């Protein structure tokens, strides 16, 4: 039913290659209802929301998450270059949006990075994300594009992965590193920490930012036995992203227990 509704909306609102206003989308999965939509068919760069797909594709293949691999640093990282468990790299990628962690996981895939990106696009097709393409595992490229409507499918699929649920909503993550023969702990706060602190109903969360994409966030929310997806793409500032997502949460995901009182 969701696809039928979305198809009807697409008929009346043709997609644009370049969007001028933020895209927002709130979908109630439990009721199969589009609660709120604005510019949701417009094709946009999605920045680090890409990493949700990266995590799913990696977890579809690799089950031995305690195995350690060497962090590759073709891009900047929040962590020093050393060996980390696959689980820690997933946490760094989902909590702090570490780009080097994403690249390392992609390189660890059978066939390497190119095979991994093909698998990302194959999974997008399997999820019927018809307006989506990926060209890298981190979201740094403007070529990673989707629509707010397509991202609903990806965010809902991610709920089936307990590791994604746990890591993406952790307020912070701790990593053991080594410096001058001493053990040092690095604490990385979640990039979506303000919303996670305010709303305990968020069960999957991923932010993103690049100059082409603007400030973005995708979340899955479980409230009063109802499952919602909230997507914001293309906010002009970090504060605007927070304000928009917060307003969508308050206005469209009501606390029924408070209303009943």
């Amino acid at each position: 039913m969701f696809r039928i509704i979305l198809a009807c909306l697409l008929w009346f609102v043709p997609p644009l290659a370049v969007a001028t206003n933020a895209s927002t989308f709130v979908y109630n999965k439990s009721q199969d209802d589009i609660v709120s939509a604005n510019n949701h068919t417009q094709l946009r760069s999605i920045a680090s929301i890409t990493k949700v797909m990266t995590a799913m594709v990696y977890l579809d293949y690799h089950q031995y998450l305690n195995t350690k691999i060497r962090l590759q640093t073709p891009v900047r990282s929040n962590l020093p270059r050393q060996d980390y468990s696959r689980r820690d790299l997933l946490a760094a990628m989902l909590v702090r949006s570490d780009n080097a962690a994403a690249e390392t996981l992609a390189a660890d895939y059978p066939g390497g990075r190119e095979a991994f990106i093909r698998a990302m696009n194959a999974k997008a097709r399997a999820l019927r994300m018809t307006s989506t393409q990926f060209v890298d595992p981190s979201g740094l490229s403007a070529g990673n594009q989707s629509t707010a409507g397509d991202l609903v499918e990806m965010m809902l699929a991610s709920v089936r992965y307990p590791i994604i649920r746990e890591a993406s909503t952790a307020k912070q993550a701790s990593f053991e590193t080594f410096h001058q023969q001493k053990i040092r702990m690095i604490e990385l706060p979640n990039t979506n920490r303000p919303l996670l602190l305010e709303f305990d109903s968020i069960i999957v969360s991923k932010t993103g930012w690049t100059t082409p994409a603007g400030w973005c966030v995708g979340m899955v929310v479980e409230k009063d036995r109802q499952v919602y997806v909230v997507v914001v793409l293309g906010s002009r500032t970090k504060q605007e992203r927070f304000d928009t997502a917060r307003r969508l949460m308050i206005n469209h995901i009501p606390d029924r227990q408070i209303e009943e009182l």
Side-chain angles (χ1 to χ4, degrees):
M1 180 62 70
F2 168 62
R3 283 289 166 180
I4 295 173
I5 296 171
L6 191 55
C8 292
L9 288 171
L10 283 168
W11 177 263
F12 293 104
V13 185
L16 300 176
V18 178
T20 56
N21 300 305
S23 295
T24 64
F25 204 37
V26 181
Y27 173 62
N28 183 330
K29 167 64 175 174
S30 302
Q31 300 293 329
D32 191 21
D33 180 35
I34 296 175
V35 180
S36 174
N38 181 60
N39 298 323
H40 64 288
T41 65
Q42 291 179 334
L43 193 64
R44 294 180 178 269
S45 295
I46 60 172
S48 286
I49 293 181
T50 293
K51 293 183 174 82
V52 174
M53 181 63 78
T54 299
M56 289 195 294
V57 169
Y58 192 79
L59 289 167
D60 284 345
Y61 181 82
H62 283 296
Q63 302 299 316
Y64 300 103
L65 299 183
N66 292 326
T67 300
K68 290 192 174 183
I69 56 178
R70 173 69 57 165
L71 178 70
Q72 300 186 15
T73 53
V75 291
R76 291 182 61 184
S77 177
N78 299 290
L79 299 171
R81 192 170 187 268
Q82 64 178 50
D83 292 343
Y84 298 92
S85 70
R86 290 164 169 165
R87 188 182 303 275
D88 279 348
L89 291 175
L90 283 163
M93 181 180 73
L94 293 170
V95 173
R96 196 57 192 170
S97 206
D98 194 279
N99 294 314
E103 288 288 351
T104 301
L105 294 172
D108 186 47
Y109 192 77
R113 186 178 188 271
E114 290 186 6
F116 188 85
I117 294 169
R118 288 196 297 271
M120 292 174 71
N121 285 296
K123 191 168 185 70
R125 290 192 298 271
L127 293 173
R128 297 183 297 174
M129 298 170 65
T130 57
S131 299
T132 300
Q133 70 168 354
F134 297 102
V135 299
D136 74 29
S138 68
L140 284 174
S141 172
N144 285 19
Q145 297 183 332
S146 188
T147 66
D150 261 19
L151 289 178
V152 167
E153 303 291 353
M154 184 179 77
M155 299 306 296
L156 285 172
S158 73
V159 173
R160 299 194 290 267
Y161 297 79
I163 290 175
I164 296 177
R165 291 179 60 153
E166 179 182 354
S168 71
T169 57
K171 309 301 188 299
Q172 65 180 28
S174 301
F175 302 90
E176 189 176 85
T177 65
F178 302 91
H179 180 67
Q180 296 181 347
Q181 298 182 336
K182 294 182 180 180
I183 297 176
R184 183 166 62 104
M185 296 301 296
I186 294 180
E187 303 284 346
L188 299 180
N190 197 301
T191 56
N192 200 25
R193 185 179 175 89
L195 283 173
L196 291 171
L197 288 173
E198 183 168 352
F199 300 99
D200 59 8
S201 54
I202 300 171
I203 60 174
V204 174
S205 164
K206 189 69 199 76
T207 63
W209 176 83
T210 61
T211 299
W215 297 85
C216 311
V217 66
M219 298 179 291
V220 183
V221 179
E222 192 170 39
K223 187 73 172 178
D224 295 325
R225 299 183 181 180
Q226 303 283 299
V227 175
Y228 301 82
V229 182
V230 178
V231 178
V232 178
L233 301 177
S235 292
R236 292 168 296 180
T237 66
K238 187 176 184 179
Q239 185 62 44
E240 182 182 282
R241 176 183 69 186
F242 171 80
D243 292 340
T244 300
R246 184 177 185 274
R247 183 174 64 252
L248 292 172
M249 294 276 287
I250 292 173
N251 291 347
H252 300 297
I253 306 179
D255 190 328
R256 291 178 176 81
Q257 294 177 350
I258 293 177
E259 288 183 347
E260 289 171 0
L261 294 176

